[in-house]
PDB file of all heavy atoms in Angstrom:
ATOM      1  N   ALA A 288    -160.333 117.875 174.258  1.00 73.00           N
ATOM      2  CA  ALA A 288    -159.755 116.603 174.548  1.00 73.00           C
ATOM      3  C   ALA A 288    -158.235 116.922 174.918  1.00 73.00           C
ATOM      4  O   ALA A 288    -157.344 116.389 174.248  1.00 73.00           O
ATOM      5  CB  ALA A 288    -159.776 115.726 173.394  1.00 73.00           C
ATOM      6  N   ASN A 289    -158.155 117.680 176.074  1.00 71.00           N
ATOM      7  CA  ASN A 289    -156.822 118.091 176.431  1.00 71.00           C
ATOM      8  C   ASN A 289    -156.758 117.893 177.977  1.00 71.00           C
ATOM      9  O   ASN A 289    -157.733 117.811 178.556  1.00 71.00           O
ATOM     10  CB  ASN A 289    -156.383 119.388 175.972  1.00 71.00           C
ATOM     11  CG  ASN A 289    -157.385 120.503 176.384  1.00 71.00           C
ATOM     12  OD1 ASN A 289    -157.440 120.908 177.564  1.00 71.00           O
ATOM     13  ND2 ASN A 289    -158.215 120.903 175.479  1.00 71.00           N
ATOM     14  N   ARG A 290    -155.579 117.832 178.590  1.00 72.00           N
ATOM     15  CA  ARG A 290    -155.425 117.615 180.051  1.00 72.00           C
ATOM     16  C   ARG A 290    -156.069 118.672 180.880  1.00 72.00           C
ATOM     17  O   ARG A 290    -156.325 118.497 182.076  1.00 72.00           O
ATOM     18  CB  ARG A 290    -153.962 117.359 180.317  1.00 72.00           C
ATOM     19  CG  ARG A 290    -153.083 118.644 180.167  1.00 72.00           C
ATOM     20  CD  ARG A 290    -151.595 118.340 180.563  1.00 72.00           C
ATOM     21  NE  ARG A 290    -150.726 119.452 180.327  1.00 72.00           N
ATOM     22  CZ  ARG A 290    -149.537 119.476 180.924  1.00 72.00           C
ATOM     23  NH1 ARG A 290    -149.123 118.673 181.803  1.00 72.00           N
ATOM     24  NH2 ARG A 290    -148.709 120.500 180.513  1.00 72.00           N
ATOM     25  N   TYR A 291    -156.227 119.856 180.350  1.00 74.00           N
ATOM     26  CA  TYR A 291    -156.875 120.910 181.152  1.00 74.00           C
ATOM     27  C   TYR A 291    -158.346 121.022 180.839  1.00 74.00           C
ATOM     28  O   TYR A 291    -159.057 121.901 181.359  1.00 74.00           O
ATOM     29  CB  TYR A 291    -156.238 122.238 180.717  1.00 74.00           C
ATOM     30  CG  TYR A 291    -154.752 122.265 181.097  1.00 74.00           C
ATOM     31  CD1 TYR A 291    -153.748 122.440 180.153  1.00 74.00           C
ATOM     32  CD2 TYR A 291    -154.302 122.075 182.463  1.00 74.00           C
ATOM     33  CE1 TYR A 291    -152.381 122.416 180.481  1.00 74.00           C
ATOM     34  CE2 TYR A 291    -152.959 121.956 182.729  1.00 74.00           C
ATOM     35  CZ  TYR A 291    -152.022 122.152 181.737  1.00 74.00           C
ATOM     36  OH  TYR A 291    -150.635 122.144 182.049  1.00 74.00           O
ATOM     37  N   HIS A 292    -158.903 120.175 179.972  1.00 82.00           N
ATOM     38  CA  HIS A 292    -160.440 120.161 179.606  1.00 82.00           C
ATOM     39  C   HIS A 292    -160.926 121.448 179.169  1.00 82.00           C
ATOM     40  O   HIS A 292    -162.037 121.840 179.576  1.00 82.00           O
ATOM     41  CB  HIS A 292    -161.076 119.645 180.945  1.00 82.00           C
ATOM     42  CG  HIS A 292    -160.551 118.410 181.603  1.00 82.00           C
ATOM     43  ND1 HIS A 292    -159.971 118.377 182.774  1.00 82.00           N
ATOM     44  CD2 HIS A 292    -160.457 117.163 181.146  1.00 82.00           C
ATOM     45  CE1 HIS A 292    -159.442 117.176 183.089  1.00 82.00           C
ATOM     46  NE2 HIS A 292    -159.778 116.402 182.115  1.00 82.00           N
ATOM     47  N   LEU A 293    -160.124 122.029 178.339  1.00 89.00           N
ATOM     48  CA  LEU A 293    -160.587 123.291 177.783  1.00 89.00           C
ATOM     49  C   LEU A 293    -161.080 123.135 176.294  1.00 89.00           C
ATOM     50  O   LEU A 293    -160.599 122.341 175.618  1.00 89.00           O
ATOM     51  CB  LEU A 293    -159.382 124.317 177.803  1.00 89.00           C
ATOM     52  CG  LEU A 293    -158.827 124.733 179.124  1.00 89.00           C
ATOM     53  CD1 LEU A 293    -157.634 125.641 179.026  1.00 89.00           C
ATOM     54  CD2 LEU A 293    -159.968 125.369 180.065  1.00 89.00           C
ATOM     55  N   PRO A 294    -162.173 123.848 175.959  1.00 93.00           N
ATOM     56  CA  PRO A 294    -162.712 125.036 176.655  1.00 93.00           C
ATOM     57  C   PRO A 294    -163.643 124.623 177.789  1.00 93.00           C
ATOM     58  O   PRO A 294    -164.246 123.481 177.818  1.00 93.00           O
ATOM     59  CB  PRO A 294    -163.468 125.832 175.502  1.00 93.00           C
ATOM     60  CG  PRO A 294    -163.935 124.634 174.610  1.00 93.00           C
ATOM     61  CD  PRO A 294    -162.713 123.630 174.696  1.00 93.00           C
ATOM     62  N   ASP A 295    -163.898 125.553 178.761  1.00 95.00           N
ATOM     63  CA  ASP A 295    -164.966 125.282 179.720  1.00 95.00           C
ATOM     64  C   ASP A 295    -166.260 125.708 179.175  1.00 95.00           C
ATOM     65  O   ASP A 295    -166.522 126.706 178.508  1.00 95.00           O
ATOM     66  CB  ASP A 295    -164.657 126.222 180.920  1.00 95.00           C
ATOM     67  CG  ASP A 295    -163.433 125.806 181.711  1.00 95.00           C
ATOM     68  OD1 ASP A 295    -163.292 124.536 181.973  1.00 95.00           O
ATOM     69  OD2 ASP A 295    -162.682 126.646 182.230  1.00 95.00           O
ATOM     70  N   LYS A 296    -167.280 124.860 179.493  1.00 96.00           N
ATOM     71  CA  LYS A 296    -168.670 125.262 179.108  1.00 96.00           C
ATOM     72  C   LYS A 296    -169.134 126.451 179.778  1.00 96.00           C
ATOM     73  O   LYS A 296    -169.909 127.303 179.263  1.00 96.00           O
ATOM     74  CB  LYS A 296    -169.577 124.056 179.417  1.00 96.00           C
ATOM     75  CG  LYS A 296    -170.996 124.292 178.899  1.00 96.00           C
ATOM     76  CD  LYS A 296    -171.787 122.898 179.059  1.00 96.00           C
ATOM     77  CE  LYS A 296    -173.189 123.193 178.517  1.00 96.00           C
ATOM     78  NZ  LYS A 296    -174.005 121.862 178.574  1.00 96.00           N
ATOM     79  N   GLU A 297    -168.635 126.711 180.983  1.00 97.00           N
ATOM     80  CA  GLU A 297    -168.992 127.969 181.813  1.00 97.00           C
ATOM     81  C   GLU A 297    -168.608 129.243 180.925  1.00 97.00           C
ATOM     82  O   GLU A 297    -169.423 130.205 180.913  1.00 97.00           O
ATOM     83  CB  GLU A 297    -168.262 127.980 183.005  1.00 97.00           C
ATOM     84  CG  GLU A 297    -168.708 129.176 183.895  1.00 97.00           C
ATOM     85  CD  GLU A 297    -168.096 128.962 185.376  1.00 97.00           C
ATOM     86  OE1 GLU A 297    -167.229 128.225 185.547  1.00 97.00           O
ATOM     87  OE2 GLU A 297    -168.523 129.858 186.211  1.00 97.00           O
ATOM     88  N   THR A 298    -167.521 129.223 180.165  1.00 97.00           N
ATOM     89  CA  THR A 298    -167.163 130.377 179.353  1.00 97.00           C
ATOM     90  C   THR A 298    -168.215 130.596 178.287  1.00 97.00           C
ATOM     91  O   THR A 298    -168.618 131.713 177.985  1.00 97.00           O
ATOM     92  CB  THR A 298    -165.818 130.200 178.750  1.00 97.00           C
ATOM     93  OG1 THR A 298    -164.818 130.087 179.876  1.00 97.00           O
ATOM     94  CG2 THR A 298    -165.406 131.401 177.822  1.00 97.00           C
ATOM     95  N   ILE A 299    -168.618 129.576 177.731  1.00 97.00           N
ATOM     96  CA  ILE A 299    -169.599 129.570 176.640  1.00 97.00           C
ATOM     97  C   ILE A 299    -171.009 130.031 177.147  1.00 97.00           C
ATOM     98  O   ILE A 299    -171.691 130.845 176.541  1.00 97.00           O
ATOM     99  CB  ILE A 299    -169.707 128.192 175.842  1.00 97.00           C
ATOM    100  CG1 ILE A 299    -168.342 127.848 175.229  1.00 97.00           C
ATOM    101  CG2 ILE A 299    -170.778 128.362 174.719  1.00 97.00           C
ATOM    102  CD1 ILE A 299    -168.293 126.535 174.749  1.00 97.00           C
ATOM    103  N   ALA A 300    -171.337 129.599 178.348  1.00 98.00           N
ATOM    104  CA  ALA A 300    -172.574 130.083 178.913  1.00 98.00           C
ATOM    105  C   ALA A 300    -172.550 131.521 179.180  1.00 98.00           C
ATOM    106  O   ALA A 300    -173.547 132.316 179.001  1.00 98.00           O
ATOM    107  CB  ALA A 300    -172.738 129.374 180.281  1.00 98.00           C
ATOM    108  N   ARG A 301    -171.365 132.157 179.663  1.00 98.00           N
ATOM    109  CA  ARG A 301    -171.241 133.548 179.746  1.00 98.00           C
ATOM    110  C   ARG A 301    -171.409 134.276 178.386  1.00 98.00           C
ATOM    111  O   ARG A 301    -171.974 135.341 178.299  1.00 98.00           O
ATOM    112  CB  ARG A 301    -169.863 133.879 180.406  1.00 98.00           C
ATOM    113  CG  ARG A 301    -169.727 133.457 181.826  1.00 98.00           C
ATOM    114  CD  ARG A 301    -168.250 133.606 182.302  1.00 98.00           C
ATOM    115  NE  ARG A 301    -168.090 133.042 183.633  1.00 98.00           N
ATOM    116  CZ  ARG A 301    -166.868 132.760 184.082  1.00 98.00           C
ATOM    117  NH1 ARG A 301    -165.831 132.917 183.352  1.00 98.00           N
ATOM    118  NH2 ARG A 301    -166.759 132.224 185.282  1.00 98.00           N
TER     119      ARG A 301
END
Side-chain angles (χ1 to χ4, degrees):
N289 54 77
R290 62 175 173 163
Y291 300 118
H292 310 113
L293 298 176
D295 288 320
K296 187 171 181 176
E297 184 172 9
T298 301
I299 301 170
R301 292 171 185 161

